[in-house]
Amino acid sequence: MGVCTFVRVKPTADFAQDMIKFGPDNKSIDIYIKKDAKKGVVNNRQTAWSFRLDGVLHNTSQELAYETVAEKLVSEALIGYNGTIMCYGQTGAGKTYTMMGATADYKHRGIIPRAIQQVFRASAHSVRVRISYLEIYNETLLDLLSPTMSSRNCDVPMAVVDCPQGVYVKGLSIHSVSHEEDALNLFFEGETNRAIAEHTLNKNSSRSHCIFTIYIEVRSRFRVFSDVKCVNSKINLIDLAGSERLSKTRSEGQVLKEAMYINKSLSFLEQLIIALADPKRDHMPFRQSKLTHVLKDSLGGNCNTVLVANICGEAAHVEETLSSLRFATRIKWITTEPVINETYDQEVWREWEWKMVNRSLVTYDPLTDIQKAEIKSQVHNYLKGDIDEIDIVNVRQVQEVFKQFKLTLSQQEHKVEARLRSKYTLIDKNDFAAVAAIQKVMPGIWTSPSGRDLGGVLPSKSQVINFTKDLDVKEEARNPDTANIDTELSKPAPMEDSQRPSSPPSKPVAFKQFKEECGSEISRIFKENKSILLARKKRSNTVAQRINFIKREMEGIQEALEAQKWERCQQGEYVDEKGQIIIDEKEFSLIMKLKDLKEEYRSGYAELQDLKAEIQYCQHLVNRCRNRLISEFEIWYNESFLIPEDVREALKPGGNIRPGMIPMNRVMCLEEDEQDRFERMQETTLPACPASVSFYRAKMKMDQKHMYTRTMSALEKIHKKPGLITAGGKNKPLSFLHVT
């Protein structure tokens, strides 16, 4: 197959409509130039060109451009095909915008962020993703993800190396990522390290070629092949530096030197394209430059390759446009042979084959008593720690192992219960009246001297105790019977500071008090939302039953109509003057009834869909109210019963609180800070939430990192200066206020 080529036209208000024409199929582009009258009547210079490509992107969004150019290539990379996307064109034509996009706006992100998102959306747990970012600046290889890249100094020399698997860059760091946000962090970090400069045609001109590579490793989804078969692929996303005409850019100094290196490497790239397109050529000049050597696999080997030729639609740049279109046409002549890159672990494969060959020796007959006793012995030894593995051959043995585990657990539970019943009397801790009565009679037995809850264990059987785990507040909040339990308990009086108990009450009692005092409003909202949710679910069940009943009735009518039709065919059909079949009144009534039932079925189905959406929203509200109720109770409980008296007084408004006085347990119970609240609000109000969360988080982290780096570098410069630091207002003559 050949290289796919697309042309993307940079939007402009001065588009040369009389010089640039697009074909009706949007796959061809024609260029027309008027003859120069100054060169005389005899002028054989060509004035018209026609180029046939795979697509023309004119006034297209970033999303449509990605779907047209890259979506299929990335999908095929996930199944093992290598892929390469290159952006080529003159400086200022929109190559970096197409490949990188606007890093500040999620909607205008380019091919690289969208490819990262597609890879992580389509990948499963068996997929391993790695990232590298290479820059070729003035024929020097640089790692944009290196820690020393901020100073643009590379400690490790880098070189392009050929190997049987292809070419790779020695010394280039490759970073493993497990989430989309991690990959975007690396992408943004590399973007900030790129070399850019300003000239006449572009304020932010890329001064180097950049290659962002996504390495994908996919293990087989089948368990027996998970350690045997492995599919490896990589996606090279290349942003080439733009070709420059020095007469237009007017570059000088370092920018001029960079332009010379850029034009030279692009010339070598075009020579390589011409050589690859010529079937008679034996030698391919891959080693002419660093760029052509790195692209050896992408242009001449096993790879799906796509080229995006970025052009300007203005008449002043028609010569550069023709040059870019010629390059796109030449690269279409190159043929590639992409194949799936599969590898196998030979040792594991041979071991698996041996197991499959000896599978015939496995028996699936019921286990004998001797075999069951052997499995029981192995399970006991495994639980004691004498052995690390249990020998398993077939499924029946697996079932017996689980049976023995279940039997052992049941025996242990009975032993513990019998031992406790011999020493204690057990009551149900959900019986709050009994718990409260016991607390009044024996308040000291529920807590240890350190104030820690002992779970209601009494030292003797003569005292009534409560032996169950402490009721967790989260479980109580999830219990649908909480509202009924609340009505059974009386409202306790508010506790004054002077009457504060020496030991905190149990959380169930405190939770009841909290819901009737500080948390009354959120508790009321929680109950109302829950009642609405239950009503919607009840209505949804009723509508679903009605729909099922209508469906069964429709099926019965259809069967009756089929029977009527069969009977009419047997007796002979009657037609009127217009040739229409005459049916009897019974069949007509069945047809009308079926029509009414279909209408009722549609309306019921629409109502059911609306109810499902309402139920999902109500469930979300109920979960939020439950979590809010629990979190606020935890804060209230800690502040009311666990903080010392002096600290509580200091925490009150107007108290003498000072830094360091708040204990750690108080700090851990505080609500989210302003930064967390802002991040949560940002997530809920993002323009493309929730898909854009990873993009904006990575951007925010990178901005924070840059701010920290700039601050630290400024501090280092200050510390290097000897003597007294002069600040605003210092070293000035003293001034006094004159009292009149």
Side-chain angles (χ1 to χ4, degrees):
M1 63 178 296
V3 176
C4 295
T5 57
F6 298 89
V7 171
R8 190 176 191 187
V9 186
K10 182 181 179 180
T12 177
D14 301 326
F15 183 75
Q17 298 182 358
D18 55 337
M19 301 178 67
I20 303 176
K21 305 288 184 180
F22 304 118
D25 58 351
N26 215 28
K27 291 187 176 181
S28 62
I29 182 171
D30 300 328
I31 307 294
Y32 301 96
I33 299 178
K34 294 181 181 180
K35 287 188 176 182
D36 190 359
K38 297 180 181 180
K39 295 187 177 181
V41 179
V42 180
N43 185 1
N44 296 325
R45 185 180 179 183
Q46 186 177 355
T47 58
W49 294 265
S50 180
F51 301 94
R52 185 71 180 174
L53 306 162
D54 292 289
V56 177
L57 305 175
H58 181 50
N59 292 330
T60 55
S61 63
Q62 291 281 71
E63 182 178 4
L64 181 59
Y66 179 79
E67 292 175 355
T68 305
V69 173
E71 188 172 21
K72 181 182 177 182
L73 183 142
V74 176
S75 299
E76 292 183 349
L78 291 170
I79 61 176
Y81 291 98
N82 292 334
T84 297
I85 302 176
M86 286 191 298
C87 286
Y88 177 90
Q90 74 173 105
T91 181
K95 301 179 299 300
T96 302
Y97 179 77
T98 300
M99 186 61 67
M100 315 296 176
T103 57
D105 193 348
Y106 175 79
K107 183 180 179 181
H108 296 149
R109 67 198 191 282
I111 291 177
I112 292 178
R114 293 176 187 270
I116 291 173
Q117 185 180 65
Q118 182 180 349
V119 167
F120 280 98
R121 278 186 174 182
S123 62
H125 296 290
S126 57
V127 177
R128 181 189 178 194
V129 181
R130 296 178 296 161
I131 299 294
S132 69
Y133 209 168
L134 175 68
E135 181 184 46
I136 304 176
Y137 175 74
N138 292 354
E139 281 300 295
T140 303
L141 300 175
L142 298 172
D143 185 1
L144 290 176
L145 301 181
S146 174
T148 60
M149 190 57 202
S150 57
S151 59
R152 302 197 66 80
N153 294 324
C154 185
D155 298 334
V156 181
M158 302 173 62
V160 184
V161 180
D162 291 283
C163 66
Q165 291 76 24
V167 296
Y168 73 96
V169 180
K170 182 180 179 181
L172 179 64
S173 62
I174 302 178
H175 304 260
S176 296
V177 290
S178 55
H179 301 285
E180 177 186 352
E181 184 178 339
D182 300 335
L184 290 173
N185 277 330
L186 295 175
F187 166 66
F188 290 140
E189 180 180 350
E191 277 296 284
T192 57
N193 294 329
R194 290 188 63 177
I196 59 174
E198 179 180 355
H199 55 69
T200 306
L201 299 181
N202 192 355
K203 293 183 179 180
N204 297 306
S205 175
S206 301
R207 313 310 296 164
S208 60
H209 310 297
C210 292
I211 303 174
F212 186 90
T213 306
I214 305 175
Y215 304 87
I216 303 172
E217 180 180 327
V218 184
R219 292 283 178 178
S220 175
R221 295 183 180 180
F222 298 98
R223 184 179 177 185
V224 294
F225 292 106
S226 60
D227 296 328
V228 178
K229 181 180 177 181
C230 180
V231 176
N232 295 279
S233 62
K234 63 179 179 179
I235 307 173
N236 292 320
L237 304 172
I238 306 169
D239 179 23
L240 297 174
S243 58
E244 301 180 12
R245 293 204 175 192
L246 302 181
S247 59
K248 292 185 177 181
T249 60
R250 300 174 185 175
S251 302
E252 296 178 352
Q254 181 65 22
V255 180
L256 175 61
K257 180 182 178 182
E258 293 167 349
M260 293 173 60
Y261 274 104
I262 291 171
N263 291 337
K264 183 179 179 181
S265 63
L266 292 177
S267 298
F268 287 142
L269 176 61
E270 189 164 4
Q271 293 175 14
L272 175 63
I273 298 300
I274 295 173
L276 289 171
D278 187 0
K280 298 180 181 179
R281 288 285 295 267
D282 295 330
H283 172 70
M284 302 302 166
F286 284 111
R287 295 176 177 269
Q288 282 187 319
S289 68
K290 296 288 196 308
L291 176 63
T292 55
H293 200 179
V294 170
L295 297 181
K296 182 177 181 180
D297 291 342
S298 302
L299 296 175
N302 165 29
C303 186
N304 288 319
T305 306
V306 175
L307 174 75
V308 180
N310 295 88
I311 63 174
C312 294
E314 300 174 357
H317 303 293
V318 67
E319 294 293 337
E320 289 80 2
T321 298
L322 280 172
S323 177
S324 299
L325 293 174
R326 291 191 187 102
F327 181 86
T329 304
R330 293 189 184 106
I331 203 172
K332 274 185 67 68
W333 299 341
I334 299 176
T335 58
T336 59
E337 298 178 357
V339 294
I340 297 178
N341 302 291
E342 294 180 346
T343 58
Y344 294 88
D345 191 329
Q346 298 298 330
E347 294 184 3
V348 179
W349 178 260
R350 284 193 293 269
E351 181 181 354
W352 181 82
E353 282 185 336
W354 182 85
K355 290 181 178 179
M356 290 295 102
V357 170
N358 292 275
R359 198 71 179 171
S360 59
L361 303 177
V362 179
T363 176
Y364 295 93
D365 296 333
L367 298 178
T368 62
D369 295 338
I370 298 176
Q371 291 175 330
K372 291 180 180 179
E374 177 63 25
I375 293 175
K376 182 178 180 180
S377 175
Q378 289 190 31
V379 168
H380 283 291
N381 293 332
Y382 178 80
L383 293 175
K384 292 179 181 179
D386 297 338
I387 59 176
D388 296 331
E389 294 181 353
I390 300 176
D391 296 333
I392 299 296
V393 179
N394 55 30
V395 178
R396 292 187 182 275
Q397 290 184 349
V398 175
Q399 294 174 346
E400 184 64 26
V401 167
F402 279 107
K403 183 179 178 181
Q404 292 297 331
F405 274 120
K406 185 177 180 180
L407 181 61
T408 303
L409 178 61
S410 177
Q411 292 175 354
Q412 292 295 329
E413 288 179 350
H414 288 307
K415 289 181 180 179
V416 173
E417 184 178 356
R419 189 183 306 115
L420 292 174
R421 287 187 180 276
S422 64
K423 297 176 63 177
Y424 305 111
T425 301
L426 307 181
I427 65 171
D428 187 4
K429 193 168 185 178
N430 292 327
D431 189 355
F432 293 103
V435 173
I438 294 174
Q439 285 181 332
K440 291 180 180 179
V441 176
M442 297 170 291
I445 63 173
W446 294 90
T447 55
S448 65
S450 61
R452 184 172 57 89
D453 192 357
L454 296 178
V457 180
L458 295 185
S460 66
K461 192 172 181 180
S462 59
Q463 297 171 320
V464 181
I465 64 151
N466 175 15
F467 176 76
T468 53
K469 293 181 180 179
D470 291 339
L471 180 61
D472 188 77
V473 180
K474 295 182 180 180
E475 295 177 358
E476 182 178 355
R478 294 190 181 96
N479 190 355
D481 299 331
T482 304
N484 298 330
I485 296 174
D486 294 340
T487 59
E488 297 176 1
L489 298 177
S490 59
K491 181 177 180 180
M495 220 176 280
E496 300 293 338
D497 293 340
S498 60
Q499 299 176 354
R500 187 182 182 190
S502 58
S503 60
S506 62
K507 284 192 173 183
V509 177
F511 189 54
K512 173 66 176 178
Q513 179 184 349
F514 170 76
K515 288 193 296 181
E516 294 178 349
E517 294 177 3
C518 301
S520 59
E521 182 64 19
I522 186 65
S523 179
R524 180 187 62 80
I525 296 173
F526 173 71
K527 292 177 181 178
E528 290 179 358
N529 289 338
K530 196 167 186 179
S531 63
I532 295 173
L533 176 62
L534 294 176
R536 293 294 186 273
K537 286 184 177 180
K538 185 176 180 181
R539 176 59 182 166
S540 176
N541 292 333
T542 304
V543 173
Q545 293 176 2
R546 177 60 181 166
I547 290 175
N548 292 333
F549 176 77
I550 294 173
K551 186 177 180 181
R552 290 193 296 268
E553 194 171 355
M554 288 169 57
E555 292 174 353
I557 293 176
Q558 288 176 351
E559 292 178 359
L561 286 174
E562 291 293 334
Q564 288 282 341
K565 184 177 179 181
W566 172 258
E567 184 178 353
R568 188 175 67 247
C569 292
Q570 294 295 327
Q571 295 178 359
E573 296 180 343
Y574 298 94
V575 297
D576 57 5
E577 297 176 354
K578 297 181 180 180
Q580 296 180 352
I581 300 174
I582 300 175
I583 60 177
D584 56 8
E585 184 176 354
K586 182 179 179 181
E587 187 173 355
F588 178 75
S589 63
L590 289 174
I591 293 175
M592 296 304 297
K593 187 176 181 181
L594 180 62
K595 182 179 179 181
D596 295 339
L597 288 174
K598 286 183 178 180
E599 186 66 27
E600 187 177 357
Y601 180 85
R602 293 191 190 97
S603 62
Y605 184 78
E607 182 182 0
L608 182 61
Q609 294 300 318
D610 294 339
L611 285 171
K612 286 183 178 179
E614 291 181 10
I615 289 172
Q616 186 177 4
Y617 179 71
C618 290
Q619 186 67 54
H620 174 67
L621 292 179
V622 169
N623 293 338
R624 287 185 60 184
C625 289
R626 179 187 293 115
N627 294 334
R628 178 74 179 275
L629 184 65
I630 295 172
S631 62
E632 290 191 358
F633 166 73
E634 291 289 345
I635 296 172
W636 173 82
Y637 185 83
N638 291 329
E639 291 182 349
S640 301
F641 302 107
L642 301 183
I643 298 179
E645 182 72 20
D646 54 345
V647 179
R648 289 200 307 120
E649 290 295 331
L651 289 174
K652 290 182 178 180
N656 56 346
I657 186 69
R658 298 189 304 276
M661 287 188 63
I662 303 179
M664 288 304 298
N665 58 353
R666 173 66 176 84
V667 175
M668 296 303 293
C669 294
L670 289 176
E671 292 183 348
E672 57 186 358
D673 58 9
E674 293 296 330
Q675 179 67 22
D676 294 335
R677 189 177 294 108
F678 172 77
E679 292 179 6
R680 182 168 56 83
M681 181 189 68
Q682 187 185 41
E683 292 180 10
T684 58
T685 58
L686 287 177
C689 187
S692 61
V693 172
S694 298
F695 181 87
Y696 282 108
R697 276 183 175 174
K699 185 67 172 63
M700 182 180 63
K701 289 181 180 179
M702 185 52 54
D703 292 341
Q704 292 174 350
K705 181 179 179 181
H706 291 162
M707 185 180 298
Y708 172 80
T709 304
R710 289 194 297 267
T711 303
M712 295 304 295
S713 61
L715 290 175
E716 289 178 0
K717 291 180 181 178
I718 292 175
H719 289 306
K720 288 180 180 179
K721 293 181 180 179
L724 182 65
I725 300 175
T726 303
K730 290 186 177 182
N731 299 336
K732 291 183 178 180
L734 297 176
S735 60
F736 300 93
L737 294 176
H738 299 281
V739 181
T740 58

